[in-house]
Amino acid sequence: MTELSDLPIRDSLKGRTPYGAPQLHVPIALNVNENTHRIPEPVALDVVSRLAAAVININRYPDREFSTLREKLANYLGFGLNANQLWAANGSNEVIQQIFQAFGGPGRKALGFHPTYSMYSLIALGAETDYVESDRADRYELTPELIRAAIAEHQPDIIMLCSPNNPTGTPLSLSCIEAAYEATSGIVVVDEAYAEFSHGQEQSAISLLPNRPRLLVSRTMSKAFAFAGARLGYLAADPAVIDALRLVRLPYHLSAFTQAAAEAALDHSKELLATVADIQVQRDRLLVELAELGYDPYRSDSNFVLFAGVEDPNAMFEALLARGILVRNVGIPNTLRVTAGTPSETTAFLEALADLTHRG
Ligand SMILES: *Cc1c(COP(=O)(O)O)cnc(C)c1O
């Protein structure tokens, strides 16, 4: 049998492992920070009717500039944005990949703050971009001083700031983003995948876009919008940045179906985001009840909680899985990460954990 290592694969990919959060069919999946609520049936029906309309012209390539979708994204975000400041791709992972293709590459370097989203290093690898990570302060917090020092040390071309941070949930202040921007002549990417769950949405880095053409803010419909399966991520930035991404995107990268489904979802953004308040309640409940169980949860502005004090994360992961509950072991010693689900999912997780904690 041919092994991967038998192939003339690029040296930089030899021995590497792909992104691989387990995809297991369990009753309670709280492992990849999806919105665990299904979309409302009337919204689903409208999505289907838009897909039906799109199929009539499916012999033709879709709108390469996805103009209608970009307009709807600009309207959704607000902040006075125009469609020419918006871009989208098949998930924000693809947006980030396009950023690396345009602004990274051989001889260039990207900087992240450990621990952070694992895809940054994998995307950098695929784009032949060096990737370095600086440590965070106590309890995974970032400060302007720490960011300035890391930029001075590494002189990166791309700075990845995840706000709030995955997998820790840590919020990021606007002063940290301003400090990063002032300290570099490179690109500053703020990944706001979980922005809708944060306490102060006016705190979005989008508010900093005016007069900062090297600042890029990415968002996704995979989390708060409950639309992960549709694959739609997007970006707000200076129109010149959008022009740069046009150089590397594949022609017609957003299918007619993707555009139609995302447009429908944006027309129903109020209904789709109606679950956000419930999820915030469950997140805050996790923070309180995990502490009551004797664990040490980190503060979170997202729809998940990282908690320390887990003696054997692998064993706890497996014990929860045996009860049909899937969480995430992100590889930080003595921690696990759990997504805030529906009230009953959160209850089931907390009860199982309480039971396993008292046994242990
Ligand atoms: C989930 C997530 C994304 C979203 O990825 P999509 O490709 O849009 O599904 C991006 N960044 C972070 C930090 C995430 O956790």
Side-chain angles (χ1 to χ4, degrees), residues 21-24 29-34 317 326-328 337 339:
Q23 284 199 300
L24 304 174
L30 303 175
N31 64 327
V32 286
N33 302 338
E34 295 147 332
F317 173 91
L326 184 59
V327 299
R328 189 80 178 271
R337 191 192 69 190
T339 305

Side-chain angles (χ1 to χ4, degrees), residues 34-339:
E34 295 147 332
N35 185 330
T36 68
H37 298 74
R38 288 222 166 82
I39 67 172
E41 192 172 331
V43 179
L45 291 175
D46 193 28
V47 170
V48 169
S49 74
R50 310 277 190 113
L51 294 174
V55 81
I56 292 169
N57 291 314
I58 211 70
N59 58 311
R60 301 291 183 182
Y61 283 114
D63 175 8
R64 201 170 50 219
E65 287 291 311
F66 45 101
S67 312
T68 305
L69 176 57
R70 284 163 62 209
E71 221 150 89
K72 289 183 190 293
L73 288 167
N75 283 339
Y76 165 67
L77 286 177
F79 291 98
L81 289 169
N82 292 314
N84 66 358
Q85 294 169 280
L86 266 293
W87 186 248
N90 298 282
S92 52
N93 283 315
E94 187 178 76
V95 172
I96 295 168
Q97 183 178 51
Q98 291 174 343
I99 294 168
F100 272 70
Q101 288 176 319
F103 297 102
R108 295 201 168 194
K109 192 194 286 179
L111 168 70
F113 292 88
H114 182 79
T116 193
Y117 188 42
S118 63
M119 280 308 299
Y120 301 154
S121 62
L122 281 173
I123 289 169
L125 180 67
E128 290 285 347
T129 308
D130 283 340
Y131 180 74
V132 292
E133 276 188 355
S134 270
D135 285 330
R136 290 168 177 264
D138 194 32
R139 298 195 73 77
Y140 306 122
E141 300 288 331
L142 285 180
T143 63
E145 296 70 36
L146 190 151
I147 290 171
R148 273 190 219 106
I151 292 172
E153 181 186 349
H154 296 292
Q155 298 289 318
D157 302 281
I158 301 175
I159 296 148
M160 298 302 302
L161 296 171
C162 193
S163 172
N165 186 51
N166 182 7
T168 62
T170 321
L172 184 71
S173 69
L174 292 185
S175 59
C176 282
I177 298 162
E178 291 173 297
Y181 194 88
E182 278 154 28
T184 183
S185 53
I187 291 295
V188 177
V189 182
V190 183
D191 180 348
E192 292 193 345
Y194 301 96
E196 287 92 348
F197 298 109
S198 67
H199 291 91
Q201 286 210 50
E202 66 287 355
Q203 286 283 354
S204 169
I206 296 169
S207 66
L208 299 177
L209 283 178
N211 301 315
R212 289 190 180 86
R214 295 175 290 104
L215 178 62
L216 286 59
V217 186
S218 75
R219 293 274 189 112
T220 181
M221 296 180 77
S222 295
K223 308 288 161 57
F225 261 93
F227 225 55
R231 310 303 300 126
L232 202 288
Y234 54 104
L235 176 87
D238 191 276
V241 170
I242 310 303
D243 281 338
L245 300 183
R246 280 191 182 91
L247 296 172
V248 296
R249 64 93 174 272
L250 298 175
Y252 317 107
H253 67 291
L254 275 187
S255 84
F257 290 143
T258 303
Q259 293 184 40
E263 287 168 20
L266 286 160
D267 287 345
H268 294 279
S269 57
K270 277 218 172 65
E271 292 127 280
L272 289 175
L273 295 174
T275 56
V276 166
D278 287 345
I279 295 166
Q280 287 170 322
V281 168
Q282 297 310 310
R283 181 229 13 239
D284 293 338
R285 176 182 166 209
L286 281 168
L287 292 173
V288 170
E289 296 193 25
L290 283 166
E292 284 169 3
L293 286 174
Y295 293 99
D296 180 15
Y298 293 89
R299 78 175 176 131
S300 173
D301 235 355
S302 49
N303 67 336
F304 58 84
V305 173
L306 181 79
F307 57 101
V310 187
E311 220 164 275
D312 184 344
N314 268 331
M316 186 59 89
F317 173 91
E318 292 296 340
L320 288 165
L321 187 56
R323 294 172 181 224
I325 300 168
L326 184 59
V327 299
R328 189 80 178 271
N329 180 355
V330 295
I332 302 173
N334 301 115
T335 70
L336 286 172
R337 191 192 69 190
V338 61
T339 305

